[in-house]
Amino acid sequence: MSPKKVLVTGSSRGIGNSILEFFSNEEFIPIGTATSSNGVEIIKEKFSDNNIAGHAFELDLNDAESIENFFKTMKEKDLNPDILINNAGIARDNLMLRMSEQDWTEVLNVHLTGQFKLMKNFLRGMLKNKWGRVINISSAAAALGNKGQSNYVAAKAGIEAMSKTLAREVGSKNITVNCIAPGFIETDMLKDLDEAYLSAIASEIPLQRLGKTEEIASLVKFLASDEANYITGQTVHINGGLFM
Ligand code: NAP
């Protein structure tokens, strides 16, 4: 069986980096993205250190031209992914009354419009192969409605709803579409939150700690595997019991 091509957006750091690592073996052709050439080098170095034949490209989901260039490169290199993992993300938090339109638009672009464009572009190859996996990284915030995150929550709830629609549209072609909704995971995304706040959050979580990036990556790997053939249109929560 030829190795499956796996695209993980935003894989220079955090959850995406752990997901990419899980697919960095001879069963797959891993493809990672970052917003800068520096991030691309980080991914490439990881591949070369582990002797992996992977690819890394620049992609800024808040920049329509960057998205078009990325599609062009992927086409030229014949890299239509069999497994698409929409992971890239940002937070631009503020109370709604203080939220700028720019922060609203940027978060919607990266999390919702960008993901729509990627799914639309890469779906054709999956339809042709009559096999595919789309896994979108959402957030527990979509269900909880976190204060100060109206942009982020709207985008995450949107991707969950859009994924259900796509799951219905492509199910007959053996393509599954699911979301994963993590709770608080130790990454740069939490670096602006103060320690006392994070300890208070951890004490409210039944498992009494924040999550690790590898714990999200193992769920992604399961949903991408044949063991998950009959799961589609779902949002799987992974949060140590924070949200039940
Ligand atoms: P992170 O550590 O901040 O990493 C974000 C990744 O996204 C980086 O690789 C970054 O690339 C990339 N990225 C940032 N802006 C981008 C843009 N405009 N276009 C394309 N890529 C961009 O974040 P994370 O915590 O791992 O989050 C990963 C996903 O999990 C996100 O969708 C996030 O919403 C979701 N999530 C996270 C948590 C959490 O607690 N951490 C909880 C729930 C859901 P550069 O390195 O080039 O900046």
Side-chain angles (χ1 to χ4, degrees):
M1 216 168 50
S2 57
K4 290 199 157 60
K5 296 172 210 127
V6 186
L7 170 60
V8 186
T9 64
S11 34
S12 42
R13 304 183 271 127
I15 294 171
N17 196 258
S18 286
I19 297 172
L20 195 68
E21 200 159 315
F22 264 46
F23 289 102
S24 292
N25 61 58
E26 61 286 350
E27 280 177 57
F28 303 97
I29 297 173
I31 307 157
T33 76
T35 59
S36 66
S37 53
N38 191 34
V40 167
E41 280 316 307
I42 291 172
I43 301 172
K44 281 187 177 163
E45 266 168 38
K46 210 164 176 177
F47 288 148
S48 65
D49 288 351
N50 298 300
N51 222 3
I52 299 293
H55 302 264
F57 304 111
E58 261 183 68
L59 171 65
D60 182 347
L61 291 165
N62 190 38
D63 177 346
E65 200 180 328
S66 167
I67 298 176
E68 279 313 310
N69 290 338
F70 173 66
F71 289 161
K72 220 170 126 201
T73 309
M74 290 286 280
K75 197 170 177 189
E76 277 162 13
K77 295 188 180 297
D78 195 21
L79 283 175
N80 201 94
D82 305 291
I83 301 169
L84 167 61
I85 299 154
N86 277 310
N87 164 79
I90 51 167
R92 299 283 181 269
D93 298 354
N94 218 330
L95 295 176
M96 190 182 280
L97 279 178
R98 294 193 196 133
M99 185 172 288
S100 69
E101 216 169 300
Q102 187 182 340
D103 285 349
W104 168 266
T105 307
E106 197 173 333
V107 168
L108 269 286
N109 279 348
V110 173
H111 289 276
L112 193 61
T113 311
Q115 298 198 9
F116 160 74
K117 287 183 181 177
L118 262 70
M119 290 191 281
K120 185 176 172 192
N121 187 72
F122 293 125
L123 215 55
R124 276 200 188 89
M126 294 182 194
L127 289 167
K128 211 166 122 202
N129 295 338
K130 296 197 173 58
W131 196 92
R133 292 277 191 272
V134 180
I135 299 166
N136 295 319
I137 307 300
S138 179
S139 168
L144 292 163
N146 281 356
K147 198 167 135 185
Q149 292 201 306
S150 51
N151 49 1
Y152 185 82
V153 165
K156 292 302 197 187
I159 195 66
E160 289 183 14
M162 182 162 50
S163 300
K164 288 183 200 171
T165 292
L166 186 60
R168 289 188 193 278
E169 288 179 3
V170 299
S172 64
K173 300 290 183 212
N174 210 15
I175 299 168
T176 65
V177 185
N178 290 292
C179 290
I180 289 177
F184 286 87
I185 310 301
E186 288 171 355
T187 72
D188 290 348
M189 198 168 262
L190 304 189
K191 72 177 187 305
D192 293 334
L193 302 177
D194 75 73
E195 283 288 312
Y197 175 72
L198 286 176
S199 312
I201 296 271
S203 69
E204 293 295 314
I205 296 172
L207 291 183
Q208 297 282 292
R209 64 172 176 86
L210 307 187
K212 298 184 197 322
T213 57
E214 298 78 13
E215 291 168 331
I216 306 304
S218 60
L219 179 54
V220 170
K221 188 133 192 228
F222 169 70
L223 286 177
S225 74
D226 287 340
E227 278 73 35
N229 274 344
Y230 201 53
I231 303 175
T232 196
Q234 304 302 309
T235 295
V236 184
H237 285 266
I238 171 163
N239 53 41
L242 169 77
F243 169 78
M244 301 183 189

